[in-house]
Amino acid sequence: MKDNPPLGIALMMAFCLLAPFGDALAKIVGDAVPLGQLVFLRFAVQVAVLLPLVVATGRTLRHGPRVTWRIALRTVLHIAGIGFMFLSLRYLPLADAIAIAFVMPFVLLLLGWLVLEEEVGPRRLIACAVGFAGTLMVVQPAFEEVGAPALLPLGVALTFALFMLTTRTIAREVDPVSMQAVSGTMALAFLAPLLIFVPHPELAWTGPQPIWSIVLAMGLLGTVSHLLMTWSLRYAPGATLAPMQYFEIPVATFYGWAIFGDLPNGIAAAGIAVTVAAGLYIVMRERATMRASKAAPLPATPPPPPAE
């Protein structure tokens, strides 16, 4: 499939508009619904929406062993990331939770450097350090107010960094609707035994409540937004889409103010600005590196040996 950067950017912008609203709905119902049930219902809506679509359009649910195992890994990371985010939203304002989670681009860069042995220059490493400092500026007032739960979005960052790496390895090979349907089914198969057999308050099951309409809307928004994100990765490279993802922070700030009356305090707002600036600098450096590698002249072809 050929790249189509404008379409990829548009899809990512739509993701940034929808995903924080889904998180806002999760924050509304987070205190009333146990965490395990909330995550289970999130994936149940995904399956209910996408499985009939797969059947109706003749898509396949079968993939080779290599892709299936990667989808399974992606599913586990997705469950963990959503669980961390839903839990963090019980304690933190929406904008703060999402801003702290935006340490993810720095985690991706460091993982590429440490695990994949990608070349990372000193300026990008310094930008990583600055970005972490900005994140700590957001964490610090939240930590003073709620304690250790302020660190939960860091778990979101780590799991979703790995989630994004896994998604990129299969996004061009697998239809997004099929992948999300398979992933949702795997998530339900993994979560159902925990809800049935593990006696823990967060894994309890409550009966239908009036707020379940909000839960269903949350699941629908989560399903659609992650489809948009997956589609965007099919049409544009990550370096192109990375700056667009930062649009999610002002959107989350607006939703947090409009729905909950929350706004970041001075230190947190400054930390958000530092984090965004450092992240955008890393993106620009990535682009400059890519342009330089493409513009580098090919090695000269040695002249043929003289005829004897």
Side-chain angles (χ1 to χ4, degrees):
M1 180 177 294
K2 293 182 179 181
D3 280 353
N4 187 341
L7 178 57
I9 290 171
L11 292 169
M12 182 58 76
M13 294 289 281
F15 165 81
C16 291
L17 287 171
L18 293 182
F21 191 62
D23 290 335
L25 296 181
K27 183 174 178 63
I28 291 173
V29 301
D31 290 331
V33 181
L35 178 63
Q37 183 178 1
L38 195 60
V39 177
F40 182 89
L41 291 173
R42 157 67 180 79
F43 284 103
V45 173
Q46 179 172 317
V47 172
V49 170
L50 297 182
L51 199 56
L53 183 59
V54 169
V55 175
T57 57
R59 290 175 165 90
T60 182
L61 293 173
R62 295 185 178 183
H63 305 287
R66 181 181 64 86
V67 171
T68 299
W69 279 109
R70 291 188 184 185
I71 294 176
L73 173 60
R74 180 183 182 275
T75 300
V76 172
L77 293 169
H78 201 181
I79 292 171
I82 289 176
F84 278 128
M85 177 55 80
F86 286 177
L87 195 57
S88 69
L89 290 172
R90 291 185 183 177
Y91 303 97
L92 299 174
L94 179 64
D96 287 8
I98 290 179
I100 295 169
F102 259 84
V103 76
M104 182 187 70
F106 312 125
V107 174
L108 277 171
L109 185 68
L110 293 176
L111 284 175
W113 178 47
L114 297 173
V115 179
L116 303 178
E117 298 182 353
E118 295 177 349
E119 184 177 349
V120 177
R123 283 184 286 185
R124 280 184 286 175
L125 290 176
I126 292 172
C128 268
V130 173
F132 277 122
T135 302
L136 291 176
M137 292 170 67
V138 184
V139 170
Q140 187 264 335
F143 192 87
E144 288 183 354
E145 185 173 346
V146 304
L151 302 178
L152 286 168
L154 298 178
V156 178
L158 178 58
T159 52
F160 269 109
L162 296 171
F163 171 86
M164 290 289 287
L165 285 175
T166 307
T167 299
R168 288 178 190 175
T169 65
I170 55 179
R172 292 179 179 270
E173 300 179 44
V174 183
D175 174 73
V177 174
S178 173
M179 178 170 64
Q180 293 287 76
V182 172
S183 182
T185 305
M186 288 180 174
L188 296 184
F190 178 78
L191 290 168
L194 297 179
L195 294 174
I196 295 172
F197 297 112
V198 178
H200 190 279
E202 291 294 351
L203 297 174
W205 187 270
T206 62
Q209 304 177 40
I211 60 171
W212 272 33
S213 60
I214 301 177
V215 175
L216 295 178
M218 175 209 72
L220 183 61
L221 281 170
T223 299
V224 173
S225 63
H226 277 84
L227 269 178
L228 293 170
M229 183 270 291
T230 305
W231 266 321
S232 73
L233 290 170
R234 300 187 82 191
Y235 291 109
T240 300
L241 298 175
M244 305 301 107
Q245 291 178 274
Y246 284 96
F247 181 57
E248 193 175 347
I249 295 179
V251 171
T253 302
F254 172 77
Y255 289 150
W257 167 76
I259 299 173
F260 306 105
D262 293 331
L263 283 174
N265 65 19
I267 296 176
I272 290 172
V274 170
T275 301
V276 171
L280 292 177
Y281 175 81
I282 287 175
V283 170
M284 288 189 293
R285 288 299 306 164
E286 291 284 352
R287 286 181 169 179
T289 301
M290 289 175 62
R291 283 197 298 266
S293 64
K294 290 179 180 179
L298 295 174
T301 303
E308 296 182 358

